[in-house]
Amino acid sequence: MRRALLAGAAAVLAAVSATAVAMVHAEAATQTLQSLAAAKGKYFGSATDNPELSDTAYTAILGGGEFGQTTPGNSMKWDATEPTRGSFSFTRGDAVVDFAAAHNMKVRGHTLVWHSQLPGWVSSLPTGDVQAAMENHITQVATHYRGKVFAWDVVNEPFNDDGTLRTSPFSTAMGVGYIADALRTARAADPDAKLYINDYNTDGLGAKSDAMYNLVKSLQAQGVPIDGVGFQGHLAIQYGFPSQMQQNLQRFADLGVDVAITELDVRMVLPRDATKDATQATYYSNVVKACVAVTRCVGVTIWDYTDKYSWVPNTFSGQGAALPWDENLAKKPTAYNAIVSALGGVVPSPSGSTSPPPASSSPPPSGGCTAVYQVVNQWNTGFQGEVSVTAPAGKTGWKVTLTFANGQTVTQLWNGSYAQSGSTVTVTNVSWNATPPATFGFLANWSGTNAAPAVTCA
Ligand code: 9MR
C-alpha cells in the first residue's frame, strides 16, 4: 500500500515536471530579445556590416528573430557613399537594407555628417564650399534611402568630451549652425525619417550630456527639426557605469524628443573571467532597464551582436569580449540572460537533458559528466542549440551524444568536434576545452517537430 502510494506520488511529480519542462521549451522558442522589446513598444537591434553578411552562421542569428532593427556599421557613411565628389555609391548600404527587409528588421541610417570616415576631398575643400557639399551629400543620401530607414543619425559626435563643439570641416566652415542646416536639409530630403543627433560619453549626466541637452533646447527654440537623441553606449567595465543614465535619458525625453541607445557594447580588459562577465551583465541590464523605464526610449541597438565582428579589439588593444555573443557565435548566458531579464523576459532554465545537474551531495554521474541541452534560438527551418558540460574536478576529455528523434541535422558546430551518423550526433572536446565546464553550440535544420534529443555524456 505504502509502495503504491509512493509510486503514485512519483508519477504525479514526473508529470508535473514534464509539464514544467514543456513550458520552458515553449517560452524559449517564442521569446527573443526583439519579441520582449516589442512587448514594451521598443525594438532590440544589432549593427551589422557588409563583410559579415556572407557569413551564414552569423546571418542565421542576425536574421533569426533576436533582432528587429539593424544599423549599418560603415556602409552609409560619407567615405562609403560619396568617396569622390558627386559620385555616389549605395551598393553596400542597399545590401544591409535588403537583408533587413527580408528579415523583418527596421534600419537606422548612420550617418550623414561626421568628422570621421570623411573622404579627403571634403577635408580639403575651401571653407566657402563646405556647406554646398554637405547639403548635397545629405540630400542625395537621404533621398536614396527615403522610405527605407526610419531614422537618421544626421549629425554624429558633434562634441568634445568637455562639451565644447568639436572642430571639423563643418564647424570650421559654419560654426554650430552646421547642425541646424544639416537637420533642415535632411528633413527636406526625407520628411518621414526621425532625425537624430548621436554621440558617445553622453549616456550619463555630465558636461558632455549637458552640452547635448542645451543644443537640443536651442534647436527647438529656433524651430529646427530634431526628433531624437542617440546615446551610443560604448561602455567599459573598468571605467564604471555612467552616472544616472535613466535620469539623463528622461530629461531629454522631457524636452519632447525620442531617445535611443544606438551602439551599445560593454568591453573589458581581456581575458574574460566570471567576475568580469558578471559586471558586464549588470551594465547590460542597467542600460536596458534605463531604456525600458523611459517611455520615449524607442529601442536599444548593440554594436554588432558578436565579438567576432566587434570594433573594440582593433581600437583598444588588450580589450574586447564586449558583446552578448562570443567570437564563436555562442551566446554568453550571463550577458544575454541579463538583457532578457531587463526586458521582462523569463530566463530559460536548462531543459531536455537526460541527466539533470547533480545536487552537490550526489555521487558523480555515471560517465563522469553531465550534459545539459537547450534550444537558444529557433526559426522556420533552423535552430541554434547549446550544450553545457559539467563534471567533478579531475575529468579531462568528454564526449556528448545527442540522439534526435525528428530528423534534425547539424550543419555547423563550434567549441567541439562533431560527427553525425543518422540521428546520432557525437561531439568531443577540442584541445582547449577538454576540462569541464565547457559549452558548445551548433546550428541545425529541423522540420515538423523539434523535440529535445536524448543526451549522454561520457
Ligand atoms: O564599427 C565601426 C568600425 O567598423 C569602424 O572602423 C569605425 C571607424 O571609425 O567606426 C565604427 O563605428 C563607430 C560609429 O560609426 C560611431 N560611433 C563609434 C563607433 C565605434 O568606433
Side-chain angles (χ1 to χ4, degrees), residues 369-380:
C369 54
T370 300
V372 176
Y373 167 93
Q374 63 173 329
V375 172
V376 292
N377 194 7
Q378 180 169 303
W379 55 99
N380 303 347

Side-chain angles (χ1 to χ4, degrees), residues 47-49 52 71-74 77 79 110-111 114 116-117 153 156-157 198-200 232 234 262-263 265 303-304 309-312 314-316:
T48 191
D49 213 347
E52 286 110 280
T71 306
N74 286 296
K77 291 171 177 174
D79 60 352
H110 175 81
T111 171
W114 188 26
S116 182
Q117 289 178 276
D153 287 330
N156 197 36
E157 302 175 2
N198 188 48
D199 214 327
Y200 63 89
Q232 293 184 6
H234 290 296
T262 53
E263 305 181 15
D265 49 22
W303 206 235
D304 224 314
Y309 297 120
S310 171
W311 68 293
V312 168
N314 299 329
T315 306
F316 302 100

Side-chain angles (χ1 to χ4, degrees), residues 34-356:
Q34 170 59 23
S35 69
L36 293 169
K40 302 208 173 287
K42 305 179 195 292
Y43 58 79
F44 199 93
S46 166
T48 191
D49 213 347
N50 299 82
E52 286 110 280
L53 291 178
S54 59
D55 176 342
T56 52
Y58 167 86
T59 53
I61 298 172
L62 181 70
E66 290 282 10
F67 307 109
Q69 179 274 332
T70 192
T71 306
N74 286 296
S75 51
M76 291 185 187
K77 291 171 177 174
W78 198 317
D79 60 352
T81 51
E82 194 186 6
T84 53
R85 187 169 194 174
S87 141
F88 287 85
S89 165
F90 297 116
T91 320
R92 292 195 294 143
D94 289 354
V96 174
V97 165
D98 291 346
F99 182 90
H103 296 88
N104 227 351
M105 300 161 88
K106 33 190 220 169
V107 181
R108 295 191 84 251
H110 175 81
T111 171
L112 295 170
V113 182
W114 188 26
H115 66 276
S116 182
Q117 289 178 276
L118 203 53
W121 68 263
V122 182
S123 317
S124 19
L125 288 174
T127 44
D129 205 6
V130 173
Q131 183 169 0
M134 183 188 83
E135 290 176 356
N136 186 53
H137 180 77
I138 294 170
T139 301
Q140 298 300 323
V141 178
T143 300
H144 178 83
Y145 287 112
R146 186 170 169 179
K148 299 189 169 148
V149 301
F150 75 95
W152 266 112
D153 287 330
V154 177
V155 175
N156 197 36
E157 302 175 2
F159 293 113
N160 297 310
D161 274 351
D162 64 1
T164 55
L165 189 68
R166 188 193 286 275
T167 301
S168 71
F170 313 107
S171 62
T172 302
M174 292 167 265
V176 71
Y178 87 87
I179 297 174
D181 191 61
L183 288 161
R184 289 190 167 113
T185 308
R187 175 65 95 232
D190 184 350
D192 299 322
K194 298 279 187 190
L195 306 182
Y196 278 68
I197 306 174
N198 188 48
D199 214 327
Y200 63 89
N201 286 351
T202 48
D203 314 298
L205 296 175
K208 194 170 182 179
S209 61
D210 286 349
M212 183 69 89
Y213 183 81
N214 292 330
L215 172 65
V216 171
K217 278 213 301 205
S218 133
L219 291 167
Q220 290 176 323
Q222 298 165 63
V224 175
I226 171 75
D227 304 311
V229 177
F231 299 82
Q232 293 184 6
H234 290 296
L235 308 182
I237 60 169
Q238 67 273 25
Y239 299 138
F241 193 79
S243 150
Q244 301 189 285
M245 183 163 190
Q246 184 186 320
Q247 289 87 331
N248 189 42
L249 298 181
Q250 189 63 55
R251 70 172 170 156
F252 282 89
D254 291 343
L255 290 178
V257 292
D258 288 343
V259 296
I261 312 302
T262 53
E263 305 181 15
L264 178 62
D265 49 22
V266 182
R267 62 186 188 269
M268 61 179 68
V269 175
L270 297 171
R272 268 176 80 188
D273 62 31
T275 310
K276 292 178 195 172
D277 277 6
T279 306
Q280 177 187 57
T282 64
Y283 280 44
Y284 272 113
S285 172
N286 289 346
V287 173
V288 173
K289 281 182 180 161
C291 182
V292 166
V294 174
T295 308
R296 289 204 72 153
C297 183
V298 297
V300 176
T301 309
I302 50 179
W303 206 235
D304 224 314
Y305 71 83
T306 159
D307 294 336
K308 185 171 184 182
Y309 297 120
S310 171
W311 68 293
V312 168
N314 299 329
T315 306
F316 302 100
S317 161
Q319 297 183 44
L323 293 163
W325 276 255
D326 72 13
E327 63 283 357
N328 297 307
L329 305 179
K331 256 179 209 170
K332 300 175 188 173
T334 328
Y336 180 84
N337 289 341
I339 298 172
V340 167
S341 299
L343 289 170
V346 179
V347 171
S349 54
S351 60
S353 168
T354 51
S355 40

